[in-house]
Amino acid sequence: MAWCGAPRAARRLLPLLPRCAAGRRRIASCIDPSAGLTEEQKEFQSVALDFAAKEMAPHMAEWDEKEIFPVDTMRKAAQLGFGGIYVKPDVGGSGLSRLDTSIIFEALSTGCTSTTAYMSIHNMCVWMIDTFGNEEQRRRFCPSLCSMEQFASYCLTEPGSGSDAASLLTSARRKGDTYVLNGSKAFISGGGDADVYVVMCRTGGPGPKGISCLVLEKGTPGLSFGKKERKVGWNSQPTRAVIFEDCVVPVSNRLGAEGQGFSIAMKGLNGGRINIASCSLGAAHASVLLAQEHLTVRKQFGEPLANNQYLQFRLAEMATCLVAARLMVRNAARALQEELGDAPVLCSMAKLFATDACFEICNQALQMHGGYGYLKDYAVQQFVRDVRVHQILEGTNEVMRMIVARSLLQG
């Protein structure tokens, strides 16, 4: 469904959880996420913040504790245009820019980082089909994915190939007008619950040029799933292994040409890195507000913690890193939208800096809460658990450093 309009007045960030009173305080202009945005972007942000506060935050702890995949809530988000944010409108997408997308994911993540992160992966998959699929594929898959009547999973990582993705072993042997898949994928978000799987598999020789991209549908004979993984965070989205045993897929389900799969996967990940960094920004922003409120109301040694200069300095550092990370992410999003030559490196730099910095912000916010921060009654601990994995997925931050270094030394 295409983007739905919203009132122009930007809403104030509402309380994130019943125990959090951050919504009572005005957001200091120096960390205001709407700074520098156009009026239209402020509308997108306003709608996303409102949805996060009303539809996600009140359920965030329950989704985490009970490991609930909030399908109905995500479908409500899709009605606002959040199921295919940067997908073309002719197949149900919103047709927004990468910067618009970053703004939306940051806002949604203040309500539930785990759920927003899955939505970001889903959006990446739909974009890949929209961009690299032919007209028949676009019209067959994208409308139901944009409405989130169906959900998508991205299948690249394998038990033996994580950072070294080009060494993947899942094979697709051509047999007439079909491929026969054998192998498995690991750590797949949405695995088992998703309806559509964008799968990187080997149709040729070793290395990246032997990899192709196939779209599989749940229910395909030979497609099965491992047990649901037990995770530290990201508990509102299921994670399973995806297993292919003589799984027959029509050649008509291949995106692009044979051997183009690795390029498709990496182009998807450029946007995925911006998306996941944006989710980290939302968690960090929420954590700064939670810390700000706690320092104001909590008293020790006869006065509020806010009077302690050390804690003042730490809060100032958190706010400064938050704004720096936000600027880096938005700069990379613009570069990706404009298809600049250095966009992949800027995306890697933004993902590296933002996910590292935002985890430290959330972790420091927990520290400021003292023992309370370690209780599940307080939202800050969940933000810490949910953002930790952002330093690992969509390319580990060690790989991000390799990409940046290679650009510097070979450029």
Side-chain angles (χ1 to χ4, degrees):
M1 180 176 180
W3 166 253
C4 297
R8 287 194 174 274
R11 297 175 178 85
R12 185 175 58 153
L13 183 63
L14 298 175
L16 300 177
L17 286 172
R19 291 293 299 266
C20 167
R24 293 200 302 265
R25 297 180 62 85
R26 295 183 63 84
I27 298 174
S29 60
C30 62
I31 63 167
D32 185 353
S34 69
L37 303 185
T38 66
E39 288 303 311
E40 187 177 36
Q41 288 167 340
K42 289 177 182 178
E43 289 179 13
F44 305 148
Q45 184 184 62
S46 173
V47 170
L49 283 171
D50 193 54
F51 186 87
K54 293 179 179 178
E55 301 290 344
M56 300 174 79
H59 310 290
M60 183 176 90
E62 181 186 13
W63 293 342
D64 175 70
E65 183 179 356
K66 297 181 180 179
E67 299 188 359
I68 295 170
F69 191 43
V71 168
D72 291 340
T73 300
M74 289 189 288
R75 286 177 176 156
K76 286 183 182 179
Q79 291 175 10
L80 298 173
F82 299 157
I85 302 173
Y86 52 109
V87 173
K88 298 181 187 72
D90 67 319
V91 288
S94 298
L96 299 182
S97 73
R98 299 297 186 134
L99 176 56
D100 300 333
T101 304
S102 173
I103 293 163
I104 289 167
F105 284 143
E106 178 182 349
L108 290 176
S109 191
T110 63
C112 181
T113 303
S114 168
T115 303
T116 305
Y118 172 75
M119 291 175 63
S120 81
I121 296 168
H122 171 91
N123 269 261
M124 179 179 70
C125 291
V126 189
W127 175 83
M128 292 168 71
I129 297 172
D130 179 41
T131 302
F132 299 102
N134 58 37
E135 280 304 302
E136 187 277 330
Q137 292 166 335
R138 293 178 68 244
R139 298 192 181 280
R140 174 156 53 112
F141 292 113
C142 291
S144 60
L145 291 172
C146 288
S147 68
M148 290 188 129
E149 284 304 308
Q150 290 191 311
F151 295 93
S153 288
Y154 178 77
C155 302
L156 175 63
T157 300
E158 297 185 358
S161 63
S163 294
D164 184 14
S167 69
L168 66 83
L169 296 176
T170 295
S171 65
R173 179 173 53 85
R174 182 75 179 257
K175 185 176 181 181
D177 59 356
T178 65
Y179 288 104
V180 180
L181 266 70
N182 282 283
S184 64
K185 300 293 180 177
F187 310 125
I188 304 305
S189 294
D193 285 55
D195 307 283
V196 174
Y197 297 84
V198 180
V199 180
M200 307 306 150
C201 51
R202 190 163 300 284
T203 54
K209 293 183 179 179
I211 296 171
S212 299
C213 180
L214 300 179
V215 180
L216 276 68
E217 297 175 82
K218 189 176 181 180
T220 300
L223 174 63
S224 62
F225 308 96
K227 66 177 179 63
K228 185 178 178 181
E229 304 288 2
R230 299 177 64 230
K231 307 189 297 292
V232 171
W234 270 29
N235 289 318
S236 70
Q237 50 169 295
T239 301
R240 295 183 177 90
V242 178
I243 303 163
F244 314 101
E245 297 174 299
D246 292 328
C247 187
V248 179
V249 183
V251 171
S252 60
N253 279 29
R254 187 187 69 222
L255 297 183
E258 277 200 3
Q260 194 182 352
F262 192 75
S263 174
I264 292 172
M266 294 302 104
K267 288 178 179 177
L269 283 178
N270 287 333
R273 286 162 185 165
I274 293 298
N275 294 345
I276 212 66
S278 302
C279 292
S280 292
L281 290 173
H285 183 86
S287 295
V288 168
L289 296 182
L290 289 166
Q292 178 187 9
E293 183 67 21
H294 185 76
L295 295 183
T296 303
V297 300
R298 173 71 169 163
K299 291 186 176 181
Q300 286 291 281
F301 304 104
E303 59 181 349
L305 292 179
N307 291 351
N308 183 291
Q309 190 178 57
Y310 173 78
L311 295 177
Q312 292 173 5
F313 285 2
R314 294 297 283 156
L315 186 65
E317 290 166 359
M318 292 159 63
T320 301
C321 287
L322 170 63
V323 174
R326 181 181 290 140
L327 292 172
M328 277 191 83
V329 171
R330 292 181 179 180
N331 180 61
R334 290 188 188 94
L336 190 59
Q337 183 67 33
E338 296 170 11
E339 299 182 345
L340 300 183
D342 60 353
V345 179
L346 292 173
C347 291
S348 297
M349 293 172 74
K351 194 265 185 184
L352 165 63
F353 184 82
T355 58
D356 277 355
C358 290
F359 174 74
E360 291 303 323
I361 290 167
C362 295
N363 196 41
Q364 183 58 44
L366 187 154
Q367 185 72 17
M368 287 177 169
H369 279 71
Y372 292 105
Y374 208 63
L375 301 180
K376 288 195 172 181
D377 288 337
Y378 288 76
V380 67
Q381 53 76 32
Q382 189 170 335
F383 286 122
V384 172
R385 290 186 291 109
D386 283 343
V387 300
R388 180 60 183 87
V389 74
H390 296 186
Q391 296 167 284
I392 298 172
L393 52 82
E394 311 291 45
T396 67
N397 284 5
E398 289 71 27
V399 169
M400 298 303 99
R401 289 173 170 88
M402 290 168 57
I403 292 170
V404 175
R406 184 169 62 227
S407 173
L408 291 169
L409 296 173
Q410 296 179 358

